[in-house]
């Protein structure tokens, strides 16, 4: 038999709880905004349901029977529990927040397109991506963790390499098909060069002059072209057919895989000394949500590196 079929009507139980607590049908009626006759009727219905009297009616007086006394406190506790349950139903779902500090280009080109997979596995965690080029103070709690690009070796933080990086010339397939010839690096002289002028590019030697010098290519004018202070903007301009970019592989990977960009030249790839690192504060323990996010990042990095190997 289902549980609901063993229970009397809720209104009858509510009438009993109020009358037992207040020791009066009249006061129970006032509290529940019904007539004393309605309370009396509900109590009679309940007594018939359970098969025993719950109150002794003596003139105008009212007292509980032994069965009524045994049930009164339990009934009060039950209604308090129900009220708490309804209160919880009315509250918004509390989501746990996790703040990740990351450079805008990496956030937009690598992290954001993958983030839905973390949310599918951890729906209770609300991830806040703080996209900034500034290095926030993790030790002060400005973020739970960060992803930073650079050579590494910051001894003030816990640091773990997430992804290595390399640069390679890329352009849109339309430019390769319809534009001037692009068969060898020397052909770059007939194209607009798109420059990644973000601060770390010069440190890495990830710029057009360094790339050409490493291949002993002369005669290509690198003074002109268009310069961008964000790596993602260089890639977006290349996708739009505005020129040839020397792009960071991790950031360009989705566009390469989708065919929006094509890689140029068989020996075009050059490793750089910088990499993407997961960083956390030494003085603050990681929350379970932060640990879960870091484990997810490691898995996504493995998938990314496998996809690079397949291209």
């Amino acid at each position: 038999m289902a549980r609901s079929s063993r229970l009397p009507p809720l209104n009858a139980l509510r009438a009993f709880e109020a009358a037992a607590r207040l020791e009066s049908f009249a006061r129970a009626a006032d509290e529940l905004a019904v007539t004393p006759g309605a309370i009396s009727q509900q109590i009679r219905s309940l007594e018939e349901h359970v098969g025993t009297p719950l109150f002794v009616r003596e003139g105008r007086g009212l007292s509980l029977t032994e069965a009524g006394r045994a049930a009164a406190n339990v009934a009060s506790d039950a209604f308090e529990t129900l009220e708490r349950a309804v209160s919880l139903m009315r509250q918004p779902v509390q989501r746990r927040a996790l703040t990740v500090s990351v450079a805008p280009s990496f956030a937009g080109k690598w992290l954001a397109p993958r983030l839905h997979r973390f949310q599918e596995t951890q729906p209770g965690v609300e991830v806040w991506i703080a996209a900034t080029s500034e290095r926030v103070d993790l030790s002060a709690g400005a973020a739970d963790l960060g992803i930073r690009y650079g050579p590494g070796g910051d001894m003030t933080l816990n640091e773990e390499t997430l992804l290595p990086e390399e640069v390679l010339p890329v352009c849109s397939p339309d430019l390769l098909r319809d534009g001037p010839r692009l068969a060898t690096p020397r052909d770059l002289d007939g194209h607009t060069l798109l420059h990644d002028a973000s601060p770390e590019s010069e440190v890495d030697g990830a710029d057009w002059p360094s790339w050409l010098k490493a291949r002993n290519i002369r005669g290509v004018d690198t003074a002109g072209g268009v310069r961008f202070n964000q790596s993602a903007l260089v890639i977006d301009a290349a996708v739009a057919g505005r020129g040839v970019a020397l792009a960071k592989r991790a950031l360009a990977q989705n566009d390469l895989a989708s065919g929006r960009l094509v890689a140029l030249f068989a020996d075009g790839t050059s490793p750089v000394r910088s990499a993407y690192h997961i960083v956390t504060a030494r003085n603050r323990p990681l929350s379970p949500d932060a640990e879960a996010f870091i484990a997810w990042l490691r898995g996504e990095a493995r998938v990314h590196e496998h996809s690079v190997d397949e291209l």
Side-chain angles (χ1 to χ4, degrees), residues 7 14 29 52 60 78 80 93 103 145 176 217 227 238 251 275 280:
L7 291 174
R14 190 52 159 153
T52 187
R60 294 188 177 183
E80 287 180 5
V93 176
L145 64 125
L176 184 62
I217 304 297
R227 286 169 166 75
L251 306 186
T280 59

Side-chain angles (χ1 to χ4, degrees), residues 147-228:
I147 303 172
R148 292 182 179 171
Y149 181 73
D154 188 342
M155 301 305 294
T156 67
L157 297 168
N158 299 315
E159 187 177 85
E160 172 186 340
T161 299
L162 176 64
L163 283 172
E165 188 55 287
E166 57 190 11
V167 294
L168 71 166
V170 298
C171 72
S172 74
D174 291 342
L175 181 65
L176 184 62
R177 182 185 63 248
D178 301 330
R181 183 175 184 269
L182 256 176
T184 71
R186 287 183 174 82
D187 295 330
L188 290 167
D189 196 47
H191 287 267
T192 299
L193 298 184
L194 306 175
H195 301 266
D196 185 343
S198 52
E200 64 272 8
S201 294
E202 291 186 4
V203 175
D204 284 338
D207 55 78
W208 278 117
S210 298
W211 187 88
L212 291 164
K213 182 178 180 181
R215 287 158 180 77
N216 198 30
I217 304 297
R218 296 180 175 83
V220 177
D221 181 13
T222 61
V226 185
R227 286 169 166 75
F228 301 88

